Amino acid sequence: MVTSRDVAKLAGVSQPTVSRALRGDSRIAEATRERVQTAARALGYSPDPIGRALSVGHSTRVGLVVTDLRNQFYSHLIAPMHDELEKLGYELVLVTESSEGAQVADHIVANGLCGAVLATTTIDSVVPVRLRDRGVPFVYFNRVAASVMADSVTTDPEPGMRELVDALVGHGHRTVGALFGPRNTSTGQQREEVLRSLLEEHEIVLPSRLTRYGAFDGEAGHAGCRELMAAKNPPTAIVCANDVVAFGALNGAAELGLDVPGDVSIVGFDDLPLSRWPLLDLTTVAYDIEELSRAAARQIVSRVTGGADAPPRHEVLTSRLVVRGTLGLAPRG
């Protein structure tokens, strides 16, 4: 079997240099990296993950825990997180379960993962506790749980939602509805609290008849929009928990024969690439999802490589409003 020593001999470098070059270590000169890669290709060599783990003293495989693969939001995390981890000499492993139960932590430990990024954590999840008790480093992504203090990368919704509320008021909207996310997620709770507070500054109250709670998916948006628009005094604007919910709401409005934004304005949160399609043209609260993903990768590697005793770090990205075609003037009553 071809080994890294064979590659080193052919390339005229040391074995450690081969390892560093193949994992993208920035300390290796570009000419040397190319020579090593050429030798590796010529010999048909690929790094052995077990051997790499032994050489650095730990596994180099990081788990991304996602319990909702149907939600297209999570597909946009994988590429930037993978690329950032690869630059740092690590691999991304997707960990999927139907729910965030104790088996998730068991799966991470059993597969020898050196750390995890938790992307679908609920406030009552046992996974952070189980990982802490097993000594496995992890980072909260976009959500947090109060049970365990740990590194996190999140978004501050207030700047973008303040711009959104100002825009709604400026367009004459006084009867506003909302399709909120799950009550057991920190993002769902935070976005609801911020929206209610900002609307109250303009003396606009969200009544229970014009609010719904549900999953961060299109089905919740579809059903919620139809229910809100069937109310005696329907909203002139619907604020959705995220873009995927907003996509469902747009479908619900279309089925009812409503014009968006002529009859009702619909806005989302996340600014997924699909939101920019001319067919949807969704107004949304945006933040840098790719940078959030890269930041999570850097945090987990930093924690794995020697920061076990450091206090938790919390990186918070800002948000902003992106106005597109689904926000318009409130219809005259």
Side-chain angles (χ1 to χ4, degrees):
M1 184 177 68
V2 177
T3 69
S4 60
R5 288 182 174 80
D6 299 321
V7 176
K9 184 177 180 179
L10 181 60
V13 298
S14 67
Q15 190 272 335
T17 297
V18 169
S19 299
R20 296 190 186 101
L22 293 179
R23 68 171 182 258
D25 193 315
S26 60
R27 294 172 294 180
I28 303 300
E30 184 61 31
T32 302
R33 181 181 295 108
E34 290 180 1
R35 194 161 72 251
V36 169
Q37 290 174 341
T38 299
R41 285 193 298 269
L43 295 172
Y45 172 78
S46 60
D48 174 16
I50 296 176
R52 285 186 60 189
L54 291 172
S55 68
V56 298
H58 57 74
S59 163
T60 55
R61 303 166 71 230
V62 171
L64 170 61
V65 179
V66 176
T67 59
D68 186 10
L69 281 178
R70 293 175 300 175
N71 189 330
Q72 60 187 275
F73 170 80
Y74 297 106
S75 66
H76 298 290
L77 318 180
I78 295 174
M81 194 175 295
H82 167 275
D83 292 347
E84 191 70 19
L85 284 170
E86 188 175 55
K87 283 196 323 186
L88 297 169
Y90 286 72
E91 302 172 61
L92 181 64
V93 177
L94 189 60
V95 180
T96 61
E97 298 287 348
S98 58
S99 62
E100 251 202 21
Q103 70 274 14
V104 175
D106 295 338
H107 182 88
I108 291 170
V109 173
N111 284 272
L113 304 184
C114 63
V117 177
L118 307 184
T120 47
T121 299
T122 58
I123 58 176
D124 52 354
S125 172
V126 300
V127 173
V129 176
R130 294 297 179 90
L131 291 178
R132 179 201 62 192
D133 292 347
R134 287 163 169 76
V136 178
F138 65 90
V139 171
Y140 291 119
F141 181 91
N142 204 40
R143 302 183 185 181
V144 296
S147 57
V148 179
M149 291 295 293
D151 298 327
S152 65
V153 289
T154 57
T155 300
D156 179 5
E158 198 276 341
M161 295 190 83
R162 180 172 292 279
E163 293 179 16
L164 168 61
V165 170
D166 289 344
L168 289 172
V169 173
H171 283 72
H173 295 281
R174 303 293 301 180
T175 307
V176 178
L179 301 178
F180 293 123
R183 296 175 187 263
N184 67 341
T185 63
S186 61
T187 45
Q189 290 182 347
Q190 186 183 33
R191 291 173 192 178
E192 177 182 0
E193 291 170 0
V194 170
L195 179 62
R196 287 186 183 277
S197 175
L198 292 172
L199 287 172
E200 287 173 3
E201 292 180 8
H202 297 275
E203 299 182 345
I204 298 174
V205 176
L206 281 173
S208 57
R209 67 181 185 86
L210 294 183
T211 58
R212 296 292 186 275
Y213 296 86
F216 286 124
D217 61 27
E219 289 79 4
H222 176 267
C225 175
R226 291 181 63 94
E227 291 176 16
L228 295 190
M229 297 311 295
K232 185 175 181 180
N233 184 23
T236 63
I238 299 176
V239 179
C240 299
N242 67 7
D243 285 357
V244 178
V245 173
F247 299 156
L250 288 172
N251 284 334
E255 286 185 358
L256 294 172
L258 298 174
D259 177 70
V260 179
D263 296 317
V264 60
S265 291
I266 294 176
V267 298
F269 197 109
D270 286 336
D271 195 27
L272 299 181
L274 195 59
S275 302
R276 307 161 203 167
W277 286 21
L279 184 64
L280 297 173
D281 204 26
L282 180 68
T283 294
T284 184
V285 175
Y287 57 96
D288 193 336
I289 296 175
E290 291 194 0
E291 176 55 28
L292 203 69
S293 303
R294 290 190 291 266
R298 291 191 295 269
Q299 279 206 16
I300 190 60
V301 169
S302 177
R303 185 62 67 179
V304 166
T305 56
D309 298 325
R313 294 159 299 172
H314 307 293
E315 191 165 344
V316 182
L317 274 63
T318 191
S319 59
R320 61 187 177 86
L321 178 67
V322 176
V323 178
R324 298 193 183 99
T326 61
L327 172 62
L329 294 173
R332 297 184 178 181

